[in-house]
Amino acid sequence: MRRVTLIPGDGIGPEIVEACRRIIEAAGVEIEWDVQRAGAEVMEEYGTPLPTHVLESIRANKVAMKGPITTPVGSGFRSINVALRKELDLYANLRPAKSIEGVRSPYKDIDLVVVRENTEDLYAGIERRVDEDTAESVKLITRGASERICRFAFEYARREGRRKVTAVHKANILKFTDGLFLEVARKVAQDYPDIEFEDRIVDNMAMQLVQKPHIYDVLVLPNLYGDIISDLCAGLVGGLGVAPSANIGDEIQVFEPVHGSAPKYTGMNKVNPTAQILTGVLMLHYLGEEEAARRIYEATAAVIAEGKTVTYDLGGDAGTSEMADAIIARL
Ligand code: NAD
């Protein structure tokens, strides 16, 4: 049986992860879940929020699904999520943004995929306080990481039958860093004549995504722009409650919703499980469980379109577990 590391996370994590796990099981996919705890709750026990045995479990199983984990403010640890991506070299962050009927949004029929570089740029953590009044951070862009992410975007486009890749940058101002990223993107594009290629300056991209999102397809971006633009794209299709993501390396994949642990809703059985469920769909797709992925997606979309058993953010008053039950009934 397929073993998958399951990290419930904290805050609303355990509730939505449980909803997702029940739905995957109801769809008939047999997975042996290797449940691992990480985050603030294990800090006292292990002296770190990300114990080595959690990383070892992911390395052994190669696939993990996780709920959100709170980043303790002011602790020495920057972010467990960022650490996990770096530690396991999960260099590509894949964030699809696809319209779902019944989710309130100003747009219809959006189908975008954001491919965000996950390991460098301003998130490399090369930052310091120079003196009382000055701080600086290094924007690190390398040819290797840029080539790897651009190639990933084109390979993804080809595999998924997509037509276009747009590289997003600010190379007009950041001539060396984003200039290198753009140079590499153009070069990689030459190896994929079957996929259309274009580039956009990030500020213009933000405006165009709001004005005419339908003309875009796959976007590839350095880390910081990817972080921001992918939230914009999530907003185009109804917000964080429905946004899934995957962190992908050459051998290991970790699937998680885009949103965080929303601590104020912890234990209230209130939040929308959709982002976590669609994260599960993404994982099943990668595991080759196409049929189950399609059935879960369609059941979830049908429950949302019907609008009767949905959570508060979708205009309903159902709890997390009731919404999961309704999806299971549809399956
Ligand atoms: P958040 O995404 O947790 O929540 C912001 C707001 O969005 C919530 O208050 C809620 O109103 C809404 N929301 C989020 N998820 C929802 C859902 N499933 N259903 C309905 N409404 C939902 O963002 P935040 O408050 O900035 O972060 C809280 C904590 O989560 C922080 O510690 C942050 O570091 C962490 N975080 C973790 C991850 C991760 O684990 N990958 C990602 C982002 C943030």
Side-chain angles (χ1 to χ4, degrees):
M1 201 189 297
R2 178 91 220 193
R3 255 170 90 86
V4 171
T5 301
L6 185 70
I7 303 172
D10 53 33
I12 59 169
E15 300 162 55
I16 54 175
V17 164
E18 176 61 10
C20 180
R21 192 186 56 77
R22 282 204 293 131
I23 290 167
I24 290 176
E25 281 174 11
V29 182
E30 296 201 344
I31 289 176
E32 188 187 332
W33 301 103
D34 178 7
V35 179
Q36 297 287 341
R37 292 183 308 134
E41 56 159 356
V42 301
M43 193 76 187
E44 253 183 45
E45 208 174 323
Y46 299 105
T48 165
L50 188 58
T52 321
H53 60 264
V54 176
L55 291 168
E56 277 165 8
S57 160
I58 302 174
R59 284 198 182 98
N61 294 325
K62 309 255 186 284
V63 180
M65 180 166 77
K66 68 177 279 291
I69 298 179
T70 307
T71 296
V73 177
S75 82
F77 223 83
R78 264 191 309 138
S79 155
I80 296 142
N81 307 297
V82 174
L84 196 70
R85 292 168 201 161
K86 280 192 95 166
E87 198 63 42
L88 300 171
D89 200 21
L90 306 173
Y91 60 85
N93 186 205
L94 188 71
R95 295 186 174 188
K98 191 171 173 4
S99 297
I100 304 175
E101 197 192 329
V103 176
R104 269 175 298 182
S105 141
Y107 303 93
K108 274 194 162 128
D109 303 323
I110 289 194
D111 188 4
L112 291 160
V113 176
V114 176
V115 176
R116 163 189 172 192
E117 202 287 324
N118 232 357
T119 64
E120 55 180 28
D121 194 0
L122 280 162
Y123 290 59
I126 313 169
E127 201 183 28
R128 70 183 183 117
R129 183 76 171 250
V130 179
D131 60 35
E132 186 57 26
D133 303 314
T134 316
E136 67 180 17
S137 187
V138 173
K139 178 176 162 85
L140 177 77
I141 299 285
T142 65
R143 183 178 297 280
S146 302
E147 173 158 1
R148 186 158 81 151
I149 197 68
C150 290
R151 217 164 266 293
F152 177 91
F154 278 98
E155 287 292 332
Y156 175 88
R158 192 177 263 176
R159 194 172 64 243
E160 301 289 330
R162 299 264 172 177
R163 66 193 154 79
K164 180 164 84 171
V165 171
T166 306
V168 184
H169 60 88
K170 187 81 188 172
N172 52 329
I173 305 291
L174 299 164
K175 293 190 189 302
F176 290 99
T177 48
D178 283 3
L180 177 59
F181 181 81
L182 178 59
E183 176 196 318
V184 171
R186 284 184 172 144
K187 201 152 173 266
V188 170
Q190 289 173 4
D191 292 340
Y192 299 84
D194 49 321
I195 310 284
E196 196 187 324
F197 173 72
E198 63 185 11
D199 71 274
R200 290 282 180 278
I201 291 170
V202 63
D203 39 348
N204 181 27
M205 187 76 231
M207 184 190 70
Q208 291 207 14
L209 279 170
V210 172
Q211 288 193 326
K212 39 185 177 181
H214 298 101
I215 68 170
Y216 293 100
D217 191 353
V218 177
L219 312 179
V220 62
L221 315 87
N223 209 338
L224 177 63
Y225 309 145
D227 193 3
I228 299 167
I229 293 292
S230 61
D231 269 33
L232 190 159
C233 291
L236 295 177
V237 298
L240 290 178
V242 297
S245 87
N247 298 291
I248 299 174
D250 283 333
E251 287 190 2
I252 299 172
Q253 294 138 16
V254 176
F255 297 84
E256 63 180 344
V258 170
H259 66 69
S261 56
K264 69 180 177 194
Y265 292 123
T266 304
M268 291 170 72
N269 189 35
K270 189 175 161 80
V271 297
N272 188 351
T274 304
Q276 188 77 49
I277 295 166
L278 297 182
T279 295
V281 168
L282 211 53
M283 180 185 80
L284 293 177
H285 184 57
Y286 264 81
L287 290 179
E289 296 279 356
E290 295 299 341
E291 178 62 15
R294 186 189 55 76
R295 283 178 60 222
I296 294 173
Y297 182 85
E298 284 174 3
T300 306
V303 166
I304 292 172
E306 190 189 41
K308 270 205 234 151
T309 322
V310 293
T311 47
Y312 77 96
D313 57 311
L314 296 175
D317 58 8
T320 310
S321 58
E322 286 72 38
M323 187 168 167
D325 291 340
I327 294 166
I328 290 171
R330 283 268 175 180
L331 283 171

